[in-house]
Amino acid sequence: MTTAARRDVAVLRAAAVAGCCAALALATGCASSEDAGSEAGAATSSPAPPANEEEAAALAAYTGMWDTVVAASHEGGEVPPELQDYAVGGAYALMSAALEGAGASSGQVTGEPVLVPVAEVEGPDSATVEDCLDDSAWNLGMGSTPGQGPRLVEATLIHDGLAWRVSDLRIWEAGSC
């Protein structure tokens, strides 16, 4: 894969990641944004209400990751140290690469993705989040980008004894949800 193709894939993935983060951070009281492109971290979302405190904490980690990525994409694409508070392993690597790709674009990043995450705690130290992320309103500074729209996002989270963190992230193609 060429460097330009890798950068394009990273930019698309960064857009998807940023949207998910914004919605999950708002999981305790999500409100629709009249102008989704006006402010980083204000993505519109309608997550299912968490069934318990652990699910709420897992959703907060997932949305916190996306909020951090979206905000960083609007600020130039540098990987913020706060990302480690929400993501580890493969998820951290994917989000970092996506931000670096977004930072390499020459245009201004505007808008945000829309998240609809649902968490399920599967044990004392593992959880999953399934989301239908719509990144069609998130412009990563590359003009019109084909392949944007609602896409399935599957996240695996681990609890390290202190907090939930996203450890693995799969972002599927547009139209997958």
Side-chain angles (χ1 to χ4, degrees):
M1 186 180 289
T2 67
T3 302
R6 276 190 225 127
R7 186 176 334 130
D8 290 346
V9 168
V11 169
L12 288 174
R13 286 184 177 168
V17 171
C20 288
C21 190
L24 289 177
L26 300 173
T28 57
C30 293
S32 296
S33 172
E34 292 292 320
D35 181 6
S38 66
E39 188 177 330
T44 303
S45 66
S46 300
N52 58 48
E53 289 181 29
E54 288 301 309
E55 284 183 4
L59 277 174
Y62 177 78
T63 56
M65 177 191 70
W66 282 109
D67 284 341
T68 301
V69 170
V70 170
S73 75
H74 285 267
E75 296 169 2
E78 287 190 33
V79 179
E82 300 83 38
L83 185 57
Q84 293 179 345
D85 294 341
Y86 305 107
V88 297
Y92 180 84
L94 177 62
M95 292 299 148
S96 295
L99 283 170
E100 290 166 1
S105 72
S106 59
Q108 180 179 0
V109 176
T110 59
E112 300 164 0
V114 176
L115 307 171
V116 188
V118 176
E120 182 178 340
V121 174
E122 299 173 340
D125 60 354
S126 68
T128 58
V129 170
E130 191 168 292
D131 194 0
C132 184
L133 170 96
D134 186 349
D135 61 356
S136 58
W138 192 16
N139 179 343
L140 292 171
M142 299 177 2
S144 176
T145 306
Q148 287 182 290
R151 63 185 69 242
L152 177 64
V153 177
E154 298 170 322
T156 302
L157 290 84
I158 59 168
H159 195 281
D160 62 9
L162 299 174
W164 287 102
R165 290 180 183 25
V166 180
S167 61
D168 189 37
L169 195 63
R170 294 182 131 199
I171 303 171
W172 299 93
E173 68 277 349
S176 55
C177 64

